[in-house]
Amino acid sequence: MRLAGLLMTLMVVFAGTATAVDVRVVGGERVSIDDHPWVVYVTDASGNQFCGGTLVSPTKVVTAAHCAAMRTPRNTRVVLGREDRQSSAGVVARLTDIWVHPDYVSADQGSDVAVLTLRDAVGFTSLPLARATDEELYEPGTSGLVLGWGRTSEQGSSSRYLMGATVPVMDDGHCENAYPQFDPDEMTCAGYPEGGVDTCQGDSGGPYVAGGRLIGITSWGEGCAREGKPGVYSEVKRYAEDIEAQLRI
Ligand code: ARG
């Protein structure tokens, strides 16, 4: 995410006293995983992080189809409870199954949803999914939290620490103006018209949370945090039944 990145500390020197003033120029900041115990990241068998995800039951993780479509349970891991990627905190879980939405072709064509099944149940708190009836969580202007270990600027490297930022749901008209392929039935876009706060490469599959529920899955966007180019998220309420069906398996 283009998060955190820039924390400008202005030293205001006045009457011989130096006062530090924090100015967060680009939205996000480090957050504690203890406050978001359901946020996970996905790695290959060597531990290289490439996507995010959300624990939605003791054995199920929701992520993006584009994170999972080319993978096998054997060569994929889910890391839970590890805020600092360079630490060994938390749990590295193995998988027994990967379900990719059957209509998935590419992220910008929608159905960018997948469910990973963990071999062993984990003790971390899971996050409830938005349901078909949770329309109010998708009202334009609703503020939601995006989380991940992705890039902190468009050309930057991914983040060692878990980052979070608040972005408002944008109205569908705005999203359709930004992107001809935006499908309001399957996608939600979020961000500020002027840009500046967004998810980025490596955040895909991770959560967009509002009202204590998973409302979106980080999916795609043009660049990161660009003016007029909001982030696009798979609209969880639209896929709630398909995902719930996977949780029963
Ligand atoms: N597709 C990206 C990934 O694989 C996430 C893109 C999100 N982009 C954005 N501008 N919000 O990590």
Side-chain angles (χ1 to χ4, degrees):
M1 329 198 156
R2 180 125 182 198
L3 302 182
L6 301 182
L7 166 91
M8 291 199 341
T9 304
L10 300 183
M11 298 302 290
V12 180
V13 182
F14 183 67
T17 350
T19 314
V21 181
D22 288 347
V23 182
R24 281 172 214 278
V25 181
V26 189
E29 56 191 25
R30 265 194 74 177
V31 297
S32 169
I33 202 161
D34 297 335
D35 296 330
H36 315 287
W38 29 259
V39 64
V40 308
Y41 63 88
V42 186
T43 76
D44 63 19
S46 311
N48 302 303
Q49 183 270 352
F50 58 87
C51 272
T54 307
L55 186 73
V56 297
S57 91
T59 56
K60 303 284 179 171
V61 166
V62 168
T63 187
H66 81 261
C67 294
M70 306 293 283
R71 306 210 62 89
T72 66
R74 275 186 69 85
N75 72 13
T76 310
R77 308 276 185 274
V78 167
V79 181
L80 305 105
R82 185 175 298 173
E83 181 178 326
D84 174 1
R85 288 198 291 114
Q86 289 177 27
S87 79
S88 54
V91 171
V92 178
R94 291 186 165 255
L95 308 186
T96 54
D97 194 35
I98 296 177
W99 172 84
V100 173
H101 194 291
D103 297 339
Y104 169 75
V105 177
S106 68
D108 68 351
Q109 291 175 73
S111 305
D112 193 12
V113 184
V115 177
L116 313 177
T117 302
L118 308 183
R119 191 183 65 188
D120 303 305
V122 292
F124 297 94
T125 305
S126 54
L127 186 70
L129 300 165
R131 301 148 301 189
T133 51
D134 284 329
E135 245 133 61
E136 77 287 355
L137 299 179
Y138 294 87
E139 282 295 313
T142 301
S143 78
L145 178 69
V146 287
L147 294 163
W149 289 262
R151 295 185 183 184
T152 53
S153 65
E154 190 173 311
Q155 302 296 333
S157 51
S158 60
S159 178
R160 170 174 172 180
Y161 300 102
L162 174 63
M163 306 299 283
T166 299
V167 280
V169 173
M170 269 192 176
D171 71 276
D172 286 335
H174 206 108
C175 308
E176 288 176 288
N177 284 339
Y179 300 115
Q181 44 318 27
F182 183 85
D183 179 348
D185 291 335
E186 305 194 348
M187 304 168 190
T188 304
C189 88
Y192 299 94
E194 68 276 21
V197 187
D198 196 6
T199 45
C200 198
Q201 267 54 48
D203 291 320
S204 280
Y208 181 30
V209 184
R213 293 187 173 271
L214 182 67
I215 65 165
I217 302 165
T218 302
S219 182
W220 59 279
E222 192 177 308
C224 304
R226 294 188 188 173
E227 179 182 359
K229 296 292 172 187
V232 184
Y233 300 81
S234 305
E235 193 165 288
V236 170
K237 76 170 163 67
R238 154 78 200 240
Y239 299 104
E241 284 182 22
D242 292 333
I243 300 171
E244 299 279 0
Q246 293 306 312
L247 304 196
R248 290 191 287 268
I249 293 174

